[in-house]
Amino acid sequence: MPNNSSDREETNMTSRASHKQRGSRFEVELRDWFRSRQYDSERLARAGKDDEGDVSVKGFLGFIGIIEAKAPGAGNKIDLSGWAKEARTEANNYTKARGLDQGAVLPAIAIKARGKSLADTYLVFRLGDLFDE
């Protein structure tokens, strides 16, 4: 019987690469969408454990929005609790790296709706983050 482990590994690597490409495209689309609406928006560099989010948007609901972009595939689960924790951690990293007050930054999650336009993206944040709790 043939060994299919190398085939599975190759499929997993291809799958991971395509997920990363989908996520990167979504980040660029978000940045450009905000820019087209006259917001100062930047795609943030990845920094491992010191990651500062995916996209920053100045003037976002009166804050600097630090957006964690998610473009889940068909079989992926939505993990609001985990993603919210990730967004808060990365927003904290952003404020520390720039010496900003925590109250100046609002962490948010942008979740791409599969097969829909960018305007159909879900934007999620914790009420406690918006109302300083």
Side-chain angles (χ1 to χ4, degrees):
M1 183 166 193
N3 182 351
N4 292 329
S5 67
S6 63
D7 290 341
R8 279 192 300 266
E9 287 174 19
E10 186 173 313
T11 300
N12 286 341
M13 289 174 57
T14 302
S15 178
R16 267 183 266 150
S18 66
H19 290 183
K20 283 186 174 196
Q21 288 174 345
R22 183 173 56 239
S24 293
R25 273 193 311 272
F26 182 47
E27 291 169 14
V28 170
E29 289 171 356
L30 278 173
R31 180 202 62 200
D32 293 348
W33 190 88
F34 279 106
R35 284 182 177 178
S36 74
R37 284 149 181 82
Q38 309 307 309
Y39 286 92
D40 181 1
S41 181
E42 296 297 326
R43 188 167 173 229
L44 299 168
R46 288 177 172 75
K49 70 176 181 61
D50 296 321
D51 201 6
E52 299 176 358
D54 297 322
V55 178
S56 68
V57 183
K58 293 182 180 162
F60 179 79
L61 300 174
F63 299 89
I64 299 170
I66 300 301
I67 299 176
E68 184 61 32
K70 299 295 183 183
N76 298 112
K77 294 181 181 178
I78 291 177
D79 179 13
L80 288 180
S81 178
W83 293 348
K85 182 178 178 182
E86 181 180 1
R88 292 183 81 202
T89 298
E90 293 179 1
N92 287 336
N93 291 343
Y94 182 92
T95 58
K96 286 178 190 173
R98 288 160 181 77
L100 299 172
D101 180 78
Q102 290 291 121
V105 175
L106 178 63
I109 309 158
I111 306 168
K112 181 155 180 38
R114 285 180 18 87
K116 304 276 183 159
S117 75
L118 195 61
D120 289 313
T121 294
Y122 297 96
L123 188 60
V124 180
F125 48 83
R126 291 178 59 254
L127 286 177
D129 290 331
L130 183 58
F131 293 100
D132 205 23
E133 291 182 25

